C-alpha cells in the first residue's frame, strides 16, 4: 500500500497563525485500513497541541478542536496574568 505523506497547512485563528500537520495513522498489520488521523498544531517553531481522531472523523470536528485549543491558550494566559496581579489574600468572596 502506498504511504500517504503528512499534510501541512497554515491556519489563521483570530490573527494567530498556526502550522497544522495532519498525519495518517496507518495499520501496521499491512491491511489497507487506517487507524485515524493525528493533528499537530505548531505556533512558530513550538509544538502547541496534538490530538488523534478516528479515520471517519468529520473535518468540522478537527476545525472545532483547533479553535478550542486556541481559546484554551488565551484563557490560560489571562489566568496567569490575574494570578500575577493577585495580592495573595483570600476574602469572603473566595
Amino acid at each position: 500500500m502506498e504511504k500517504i505523506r503528512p499534510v501541512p497547512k497554515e491556519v489563521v485563528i483570530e490573527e494567530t497563525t498556526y502550522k497544522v500537520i495532519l498525519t495518517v495513522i496507518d495499520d501496521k498489520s499491512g491491511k489497507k485500513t487506517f487507524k485515524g488521523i493525528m493533528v499537530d498544531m505548531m505556533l512558530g517553531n513550538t509544538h502547541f497541541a496534538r490530538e488523534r481522531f478516528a479515520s471517519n472523523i468529520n473535518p468540522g470536528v478537527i476545525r472545532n478542536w483547533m479553535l478550542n485549543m486556541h481559546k484554551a491558550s488565551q484563557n490560560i494566559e489571562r489566568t496567569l496574568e490575574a494570578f500575577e496581579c493577585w495580592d495573595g489574600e483570600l476574602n469572603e468572596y473566595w
Side-chain angles (χ1 to χ4, degrees):
M1 184 165 97
E2 184 179 325
K3 184 151 177 83
I4 300 174
R5 293 182 284 143
V7 178
K9 179 88 172 168
E10 282 197 3
V11 177
V12 178
I13 303 173
E14 297 177 352
E15 300 178 13
T16 303
T17 302
Y18 298 96
K19 181 179 179 184
V20 177
I21 303 169
L22 275 72
T23 307
V24 173
I25 304 167
D26 59 350
D27 187 348
K28 302 287 186 212
S29 69
K31 297 177 187 172
K32 292 186 176 185
T33 61
F34 298 107
K35 285 187 170 185
I37 298 170
M38 182 170 56
V39 181
D40 287 295
M41 288 179 73
M42 307 284 287
L43 184 56
N45 290 329
T46 306
H47 189 264
F48 183 76
R50 173 182 282 171
E51 186 62 83
R52 293 173 179 234
F53 298 95
S55 59
N56 60 350
I57 194 73
N58 181 314
V61 172
I62 295 174
R63 288 192 293 266
N64 190 46
W65 172 79
M66 288 188 285
L67 182 61
N68 287 339
M69 291 298 101
H70 172 75
K71 291 187 180 219
S73 175
Q74 290 177 333
N75 291 341
I76 290 169
E77 287 177 23
R78 285 193 294 272
T79 300
L80 291 175
E81 288 171 3
F83 190 74
E84 287 177 358
C85 297
W86 180 45
D87 62 4
E89 290 190 26
L90 294 175
N91 56 33
E92 65 271 9
Y93 300 106
W94 290 92

